[in-house]
Structure formats: structure tokens, C-alpha cells
Amino acid sequence: MATEDEELSSARSSTSDDVKGDARDQEKSDGTTLPSHVAGSGALDQLVETARDYAKQAASENTLKAYAKDWAHFARWCRLKGTDPLPLSPEIIGLYLANLAAPTAKAPALSVSTIERRLSGLSWNYMQRGFNLDRKNRHIATVLAGIKRKHARPPVQKEAILAEDILAMVATLPYDLRGLRDRAILLIGYAGGLRRSEIVSLDVHKDDTPDSGGWIEFLDEGALLTLNAKTGWREVELGRGSSDQTCPVHALEQWLHFAKIDFGPVFVRTSRDGAKALEARLNDKHVARLIKRTVLDAGIRAELPEKERLALFSGHSLRAGLASSAEIDESYVQKHLGHASAEMTRRYQRRRDRFRVNLTRVAGL
């Protein structure tokens, strides 16, 4: 079983010097300054700082970290090639994308989705520095189109955790304080179709902490989660289960009661002996590790080698499991998961009835 010390060590893992240096540079050139013709004053300078704080909230912390790493990688690549990332050069960016898809050194080639993510990171970073990266520029667009045409592959989907799987997984957990917490995490993550960041960002009440990503309201019928999610604010209804052993709401109530949590983060670290809840909010990586560990302990897909089994499952396996197991109208699943389109919901449904409507016969063939 993974210890809390391992989790803390992971959270403290240091980033590269390039990323740290870039973060310092970005603070100096984040695009939020007074116009040159306006004289500074105490009130205006304070508003500049306020505007900078709001600008930092425009993207999630994980997204900003990824963008910083994207810029650091590009800046290092430029130095190795004897050039500079500034000012913006579409020709250089096109060459960089080509090198990511077909590296000349021993580095592995990146997938199309990762290359597109890198390009988004560069676009964001250039925007912070006052440049507009035009993705339609021929030096960028044609190279990216060629990469997609030659290297595009169907997306690799994580395995869905189905109802029988989640029951087997929670059965492996002890009934000490840490076990109560992890059981609540798995059950509400599954029943709510929650992202791992949404799980760990929950607070007991609204506005309990500055970094809150949502809060919980307990009702007779279940629990109502209000989430500041990836696609905006949404409400998730968690109905009570058929038994206390499998009910996500009961598991959540048990954890909060025995952990004596009535304010602040819902899911926190525990002491080394697992007997006391601490104040520090859990890192979202704990959810991924918990899923992988309980998948192994429950013997799910035991016919495969351990390395392959671990690679099959991630935090998204909970969302995919709910979407695949819920035998209800697709629109309810779409609303519950907070998807903007039915097509996105279908990507999560691993065993939906694909031929329920036979358009071939309807068309008269």
C-alpha cells in the first residue's frame, strides 16, 4: 500500500531549472502593465496586481504548469539549434513541430495530440509576451497538417472501471481512517463521474478555502456537489445507493464524521499511522495511485502482466466506467459528466449499443 510519505515526496518533486527560470521571466512579462503614457500611482499599481491575479486564474494550475514546461522545452530546443524563441518566428515553430514528430536525436517521437498540446502551450506563452501565434500561418499549418496525415492514430482510451470492478476495489480497503477516506474517493469519483482534480478540490462548504473547486450539500435524497469544473460551474447529484456498503453518500458521511472534518478540504492527508486526519489537502495524483493500487489488489484483468494492467487504468477510468455502466438516456450521462457534446460522452462509453438504430435498414437496404 502506498504511504502518505510517498505521496508527499511525489508532491515535492522538483521541476527543472528551465521551468523555474521561465516562471520568473513570465512574472516580469505577463502582459499586465500600465500603458507607457500613464503615470503610476498607488491605486493603479494595486489594480495591476489584482489584474495579474485574475489573469493567473484564467487557466488551472496544472494547465499553467504544463504550459511552462512546454515553453521551457521549446526555449531549450532553440538554444541547442543556435536560435532564440523571441521574437516569434513561424518558420522556427514549424521546424520545432517537425522535430517533435520526427526527432533527429534519440528522443522518442511525440503523438499528434501531444504536439498539438505543445503548440497550444507555445501560443499561450507567446500571448503573455505580447505576440500572436497564428496557427493558420503556412509555416505552421502545413507542417501540422502533414504530421496529422502521416502520424495520426486513433486515441488510446483507458479501460473503464465497471460496477463489479469498483465493488471489488473498495472491498480491498481496510476500515481504518485512511481506508474510509479512500473508499469515499473511489465511490464518489465513480458515481459522480468526477475528474480526479474535482475530487480533491472539494470543500465542505462554499468559500471554505481560496483554492476550493466546489462544495457539498447533504440532502435526504443524497448529496449535491457544486463544482467549478473544467467546462465551468456545474451541479452533480449523488443519489443514495441501495446499501450502505456501496453508497457513495454514506461513505462520504462516514469519512467526514470519523475524520472530524467540518470545514475546509474534504479529502486530506492522514498521519503516518492512519489514525488522524491532517489539514493538508490531498494531491490529485493520490487518486490515480489509489485506482492503480486497488485494481491490482482486486485482481482486475489478472490475466495480463502487472505493467500492462497498470497502464490500462487511470483517473479517467472512473468517468468512463460510469458512462459505460449507466443504462439510461445518453443526455443524462452527458449532463452528469459535464460534456459540451454528445459525441464527447460517446467517447467515454466503452460498451454502448452501437447498432441500436440500423440506418442501413431504415434507408431501405
Side-chain angles (χ1 to χ4, degrees):
M1 179 181 294
T3 66
E4 299 288 319
D5 289 341
E6 291 173 339
E7 177 183 302
L8 184 59
S9 175
S10 174
R12 287 177 175 173
S13 60
S14 59
T15 56
S16 68
D17 292 339
D18 284 338
V19 174
K20 293 178 180 178
D22 178 69
R24 289 191 294 269
D25 293 341
Q26 194 160 299
E27 288 177 358
K28 298 176 183 178
S29 59
D30 61 4
T32 308
T33 59
L34 286 174
S36 58
H37 65 278
V38 176
S41 68
L44 286 176
D45 291 341
Q46 185 175 355
L47 284 174
V48 168
E49 292 303 317
T50 302
R52 285 177 177 170
D53 289 339
Y54 278 125
K56 292 177 182 177
Q57 299 302 317
S60 71
E61 182 180 353
N62 287 341
T63 299
L64 293 177
K65 286 180 179 178
Y67 285 171
K69 290 181 179 179
D70 292 339
W71 182 260
H73 186 273
F74 176 60
R76 184 173 182 273
W77 180 88
C78 286
R79 288 195 298 270
L80 292 175
K81 302 302 180 185
T83 184
D84 195 275
L86 294 172
L88 188 154
S89 168
E91 294 87 347
I92 292 298
I93 293 177
L95 295 177
Y96 174 66
L97 298 181
N99 192 218
L100 294 179
T104 54
K106 295 182 179 180
L110 300 185
S111 66
V112 173
S113 61
T114 301
I115 292 173
E116 289 187 308
R117 210 291 318 285
R118 288 275 178 92
L119 184 58
S120 296
L122 295 186
S123 179
W124 188 91
N125 277 282
Y126 272 119
M127 183 175 63
Q128 305 311 304
R129 291 161 173 81
F131 296 92
N132 179 31
L133 191 158
D134 182 9
R135 296 176 66 128
K136 294 182 180 179
N137 181 284
R138 64 184 180 89
H139 297 287
I140 299 173
T142 54
V143 171
L144 187 59
I147 291 173
K148 289 181 178 180
R149 185 177 180 86
K150 184 173 182 178
H151 299 293
R153 299 288 185 274
V156 178
Q157 294 183 320
K158 293 297 183 179
E159 191 91 353
I161 291 174
L162 305 177
E164 57 269 25
D165 299 326
I166 199 71
L167 294 180
M169 290 162 65
V170 298
T172 67
L173 297 171
Y175 281 90
D176 59 5
L177 197 59
R178 192 177 298 167
L180 291 177
R181 180 199 65 191
D182 290 345
R183 184 173 285 101
I185 287 175
L186 289 176
L187 288 174
I188 75 161
Y190 178 81
L194 304 180
R195 301 175 179 87
R196 64 186 193 182
S197 59
E198 293 171 346
I199 297 172
V200 300
S201 67
L202 279 171
D203 277 0
V204 179
H205 309 105
K206 181 181 180 181
D207 299 328
D208 275 359
T209 64
D211 60 342
S212 171
W215 64 91
I216 304 170
E217 181 182 359
F218 288 100
L219 306 169
D220 291 340
E221 300 86 353
L224 181 65
L225 310 184
T226 303
L227 302 172
N228 186 7
K230 183 178 181 180
T231 55
W233 286 98
R234 84 175 196 274
E235 291 183 344
V236 174
E237 299 172 3
L238 285 183
R240 295 188 182 274
S242 55
S243 71
D244 286 348
Q245 286 71 31
T246 62
C247 175
V249 181
H250 179 75
L252 189 56
E253 290 172 331
Q254 290 288 291
W255 157 246
L256 293 175
H257 172 73
F258 287 103
K260 300 178 181 178
I261 296 175
D262 56 12
F263 183 86
V266 170
F267 295 112
V268 296
R269 296 179 58 243
T270 62
S271 58
R272 184 184 295 272
D273 59 5
K276 180 181 179 182
L278 306 179
E279 294 182 359
R281 187 188 300 275
L282 275 181
N283 186 285
D284 66 347
K285 292 182 177 62
H286 174 80
V287 180
R289 289 196 295 266
L290 172 63
I291 290 171
K292 291 178 182 293
R293 187 182 78 235
T294 51
V295 160
L296 290 181
D297 292 345
I300 298 172
R301 299 298 299 271
E303 72 278 6
L304 298 176
E306 181 176 308
K307 187 175 181 180
E308 291 185 28
R309 293 166 66 195
L310 290 174
L312 282 176
F313 297 94
S314 72
H316 260 58
S317 296
L318 295 178
R319 284 168 64 79
L322 177 76
S324 301
S325 299
E327 300 291 340
I328 58 173
D329 188 276
E330 190 176 78
S331 62
Y332 289 103
V333 180
Q334 178 183 341
K335 178 179 180 293
H336 197 75
L337 296 181
H339 287 154
S341 68
E343 180 59 34
M344 178 58 72
T345 302
R346 294 186 191 109
R347 295 182 189 178
Y348 282 74
Q349 295 173 320
R350 303 292 191 263
R351 62 178 189 184
R352 63 187 175 90
D353 185 357
R354 297 181 183 274
F355 295 96
R356 181 172 53 187
V357 178
N358 189 330
L359 289 180
T360 304
R361 294 182 180 176
V362 173
L365 299 180

